[in-house]
Amino acid sequence: KYYFMARDKAESLPDARRFFQAGVKTLMAANQYAQALEMAKLKVGDLVNDPQTLRFLSHTALAAGDPATAAVYARKLVFQ
């Protein structure tokens, strides 16, 4: 929760990316895969077209056992 709050207040793209990824990784580490993917969708914001973020989300979705969502992020990455 706090990582996503910090992500919303971040002043630079790298900071926003770092907080966003930390929040998703924290949920994944707690075995809350569905919540991690849901929060990723809700909080991605202006990172939605960021190649590093799309790559991260694709890998995260695969690790969470959701290949369909991983494919969506991979398509966005490829067809930018």
Side-chain angles (χ1 to χ4, degrees):
K1 177 179 175 181
Y2 294 112
Y3 285 117
F4 294 119
M5 288 171 55
R7 182 258 178 277
D8 291 338
K9 301 288 183 189
E11 295 183 6
S12 69
L13 187 66
D15 285 342
R17 183 185 309 120
R18 185 169 47 88
F19 289 129
F20 174 76
Q21 289 182 2
V24 173
K25 286 178 182 179
T26 300
L27 290 169
M28 291 290 288
N31 292 326
Q32 297 179 8
Y33 304 128
Q35 187 177 3
L37 293 179
E38 184 63 30
M39 289 301 292
K41 288 178 191 174
L42 292 174
K43 297 292 186 175
V44 71
D46 59 348
L47 297 171
V48 72
N49 293 319
D50 177 54
Q52 290 177 332
T53 301
L54 290 171
R55 194 172 302 112
F56 167 77
L57 289 172
S58 179
H59 288 120
T60 300
L62 280 176
D66 191 347
T69 300
V72 169
Y73 291 126
R75 271 190 225 98
K76 285 183 182 181
L77 181 63
V78 170
F79 295 112
Q80 277 189 333

